[in-house]
Amino acid sequence: MKPPLLLIGQGSQDDAYAAEFGRFVHRLRCRLDQSGADVSGGYLERATPRLSESVASLVARGHHRLVALPLSLSRLGEEFPAAMALEQQRHPTLMYDYGRPLGPDPRVLALLAERLNEAAAELSRPRALELAGARPRLRAVDSLPAEDHHPHVEPGETAVVLVGEGSTDATANAEVHRVSRLFWETHAYDFMTVETAFVSVTPPGVPGGLERCRRLGAKRVIVVPYLLFAGGMLERVWAQALAYGAGHPDLDIRCAEVIGDCETLADVVIDRYEEALQLVP
């Protein structure tokens, strides 16, 4: 029997994020079931099941070696090794190997391109920045007055803003800038530019990225979240775009969806798992 795969999430109190994380764990469990590999998931903080609960459950089922994989697009932070070291103290027989973080795998970039193309394909349908429900977010509008329709815009007049989470770790932020450049050269070369922005912690924020595109002469900007799952972080991206768009009605701003729970993302995770298994004697 193969060592189990333990997916580690940062943790969020957002129900939408937790639900999609859970669905993704279930998808992987179904995919790896035929190979006899157990799959579990746990959070470092703010959500259940906690990492400690998932590890305790695996050990109770007789697993004393596992592959721990941070379900993250960014580099491995110090909190992940510290958390696993603590679990090893709690379970002295436990041994583990790390799987590499997911991005910027070429398949992750291809998924971002799919989300960008989906947003671009909706350009024939007016998409307004407005309030939908209790929180500010983008909502597709079936019809708008003719005078509100944006004129035809060529790809060369359209810019992209790739939005990462933002971190106090300068290396992690630099990695998002690297992803933006890779994305532009491999999948978005027809567009004017791909600018980098962050949801929080570090500049530029989403408004800063949009302003950069406007000053470069873009007539349309598509915001692409460099995020795995929907939830509060995505809505913060949309809210920042909403706030900026309210003051710049001449700039057509669109938002793409997150990468999301899908088979291609599962392929990347399974490859990281199989790669880590090569270290297991």
Side-chain angles (χ1 to χ4, degrees):
M1 179 180 293
K2 291 183 177 181
L5 170 61
L6 175 63
L7 295 172
I8 305 175
Q10 181 66 48
S12 171
Q13 294 176 329
D14 188 279
D15 292 339
Y17 181 95
E20 196 159 10
F21 181 92
R23 287 193 296 271
F24 188 65
V25 171
H26 178 72
R27 180 188 297 274
L28 286 166
R29 190 173 290 135
C30 294
R31 289 276 302 268
L32 292 174
D33 181 64
Q34 294 181 348
S35 64
D38 200 350
V39 179
S40 186
Y43 295 104
L44 290 177
E45 58 183 355
R46 297 195 302 272
T48 56
R50 290 293 178 87
L51 176 63
S52 57
E53 298 169 350
S54 297
V55 171
S57 177
L58 288 171
V59 171
R61 298 202 296 273
H63 298 294
H64 296 280
R65 185 152 201 166
L66 56 83
V67 172
L69 194 151
L71 198 56
S72 170
L73 291 169
S74 61
R75 67 189 292 271
L76 195 65
E78 293 298 327
E79 64 273 19
F80 289 98
M84 289 306 300
L86 180 59
E87 293 309 312
Q88 202 165 36
Q89 292 178 11
R90 291 171 173 160
H91 308 280
T93 62
L94 179 66
M95 300 180 68
Y96 58 90
D97 297 277
Y98 278 120
R100 290 189 296 121
L102 308 183
D105 187 281
R107 290 163 293 184
V108 171
L109 296 179
L111 285 171
L112 290 175
E114 286 184 17
R115 303 300 172 260
L116 171 61
N117 292 334
E118 288 164 1
E122 293 182 354
L123 296 183
S124 59
R125 295 179 57 214
R127 189 175 178 85
L129 287 162
E130 60 177 43
L131 291 175
R135 303 183 189 180
R137 60 181 295 175
L138 295 176
R139 183 171 70 85
V141 178
D142 292 330
S143 61
L144 289 173
E147 61 271 17
D148 289 340
H149 287 189
H150 287 277
H152 176 73
V153 177
E154 295 292 337
E157 300 173 308
T158 301
V160 177
V161 176
L162 186 83
V163 184
E165 290 189 25
S167 171
T168 56
D169 184 343
T171 304
N173 296 330
E175 180 70 11
V176 180
H177 281 276
R178 176 171 174 261
V179 171
S180 293
R181 184 68 194 190
L182 287 170
F183 185 56
W184 188 12
E185 294 198 7
T186 58
H187 294 284
Y189 42 81
D190 287 338
F191 292 87
M192 173 187 291
T193 184
V194 175
E195 295 295 318
T196 305
F198 299 94
V199 182
S200 61
V201 180
T202 188
V206 177
L210 291 168
E211 176 64 13
R212 171 71 173 168
C213 295
R214 187 187 69 81
R215 292 189 179 188
L216 288 173
K219 296 181 179 179
R220 175 175 288 142
V221 183
I222 302 177
V223 177
V224 178
Y226 187 53
L227 303 171
L228 282 177
F229 302 133
M233 194 71 71
L234 174 63
E235 294 201 356
R236 288 174 68 182
V237 173
W238 286 354
Q240 290 183 39
L242 167 66
Y244 181 88
H248 300 83
D250 56 320
L251 185 63
D252 185 12
I253 302 172
R254 315 292 170 109
C255 263
E257 297 290 342
V258 293
I259 291 172
D261 166 31
C262 63
E263 284 297 311
T264 301
L265 186 63
D267 290 339
V268 178
V269 170
I270 290 172
D271 281 354
R272 295 290 191 273
Y273 170 67
E274 297 289 347
E275 178 185 85
L277 286 182
Q278 303 304 313
L279 304 176
V280 180

